[in-house]
């Protein structure tokens, strides 16, 4: 399988969101990445259900909903109703990860775990076989446009080993500071899904940039 590109709407123009979603629909984007922030788990607040519902009405592409919120269990059903196809929860934000992951799956969604830059891949040893996705944060979550943390490469290596050891089908997703300067290296290291916010929406021609990110 060639790698997937998931543009992050966090860097889109919210006054012209329809236009940006239309652009993504006509691009080679594989998933649309939606960053949900509550101002508690991360310092920033982003957007919620009305935006997800509006985006869902406009696109056939899978919605990859990244929950940067405290105790996400409270809202899983509502995120699925709003249109999520993939839901990822932070290891650092839940008390009973196994329960959360299976709650997402029971709602008919693909389920994943997100690890902050400081959280070790080895903590996933007893859940990896149940996961559809592992999202490695390559910046501290909260903002777009931050600098990629190089230690992520070591984590991809460790995660690949764990996935093989446990015969897991989990995809490796990387989020933060991804762009044309490092995507080739990331794909070679084993990344399956690459999130890109600033690299896409901060570029002169986002459609072309997505095409370029796909081509590596
Ligand atoms: C950060 C978010 C990212 C963000 C990535 O907390 O999880 O998805 O939008 O943005 P870039 O690609 O600009 O680093
Ligand atoms: Zn994200």
């Amino acid at each position: 399988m060639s790698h997937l590109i998931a543009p992050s709407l966090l860097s889109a123009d919210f006054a012209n969101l329809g236009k940006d979603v239309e652009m993504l629909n006509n691009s080679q984007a594989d998933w649309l990445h939606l960053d949900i922030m509550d101002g508690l788990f991360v310092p920033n607040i982003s957007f919620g259900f009305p935006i997800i519902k509006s985006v869902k009405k406009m696109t056939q592409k899978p919605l990859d909903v990244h929950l940067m919120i405290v105790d996400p269990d409270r809202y899983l059903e509502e995120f699925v109703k709003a249109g999520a196809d993939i839901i990822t929860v932070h290891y650092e934000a839940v008390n009973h990860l196994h329960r959360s992951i299976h709650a997402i799956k029971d709602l008919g969604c693909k389920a994943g775990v997100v690890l902050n830059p400081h959280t070790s891949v080895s903590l996933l040893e007893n859940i990896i076989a149940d996961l559809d996705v592992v999202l490695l944060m390559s910046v501290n979550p909260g903002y777009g446009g931050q600098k990629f943390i190089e230690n992520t490469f070591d984590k991809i290596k460790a995660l690949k080993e764990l996935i093989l050891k446990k015969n897991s089908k989990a995809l490796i997703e990387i989020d933060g500071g991804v762009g044309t300067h490092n995507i080739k290296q990331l794909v070679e290291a084993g990344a399956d899904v690459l999130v890109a916010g600033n690299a896409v929406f901060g570029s002169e021609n986002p459609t072309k940039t997505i095409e370029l990110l796909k081509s590596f």
Side-chain angles (χ1 to χ4, degrees), residues 8 10-11 33 35 37 42 66 68 137 139-146 175-178 195-199:
S8 165
L10 194 61
S11 298
H33 184 84
D35 289 301
M37 305 179 183
V42 286
H66 173 192
M68 284 161 273
M137 287 309 302
V139 298
N140 286 295
Y143 303 96
Q146 301 183 81
D175 186 7
V178 173
V195 176
N198 195 48

Side-chain angles (χ1 to χ4, degrees), residues 72-194:
D73 294 12
R74 294 171 294 161
Y75 295 110
L76 294 176
E77 199 175 339
E78 218 167 327
F79 281 113
V80 174
K81 277 191 190 144
D85 296 283
I86 302 128
I87 294 182
T88 56
V89 295
H90 269 260
Y91 180 90
E92 306 85 3
V94 295
N95 287 327
H96 304 284
L97 190 54
H98 182 273
R99 179 183 290 150
S100 305
I101 290 302
H102 285 278
I104 296 170
K105 289 190 160 185
D106 290 347
L107 289 163
C109 253
K110 295 216 179 299
V113 173
V114 193
L115 300 183
N116 274 337
H118 71 275
T119 305
S120 171
V121 162
S122 62
L123 294 166
L124 298 179
E125 170 133 24
N126 294 296
I127 190 80
I128 190 80
D130 298 8
L131 301 179
D132 298 304
V133 179
V134 176
L135 198 176
L136 299 178
M137 287 309 302
S138 38
V139 298
N140 286 295
Y143 303 96
Q146 301 183 81
K147 191 174 174 289
F148 181 87
I149 296 170
E150 294 293 327
N151 182 54
T152 308
F153 285 105
D154 287 351
K155 291 180 78 172
I156 296 176
K157 191 163 170 266
L159 180 53
K160 260 214 111 52
E161 281 167 15
L162 184 61
I163 286 171
L164 285 173
K165 181 178 146 199
K166 294 286 187 176
N167 216 354
S168 163
K169 291 193 168 53
L171 297 177
I172 301 177
E173 183 173 11
I174 307 298
D175 186 7
V178 173
T180 50
H181 64 290
N182 57 9
I183 192 161
K184 185 168 188 279
Q185 242 184 313
L186 286 164
V187 170
E188 282 170 2
D192 301 300
V193 187
L194 288 307

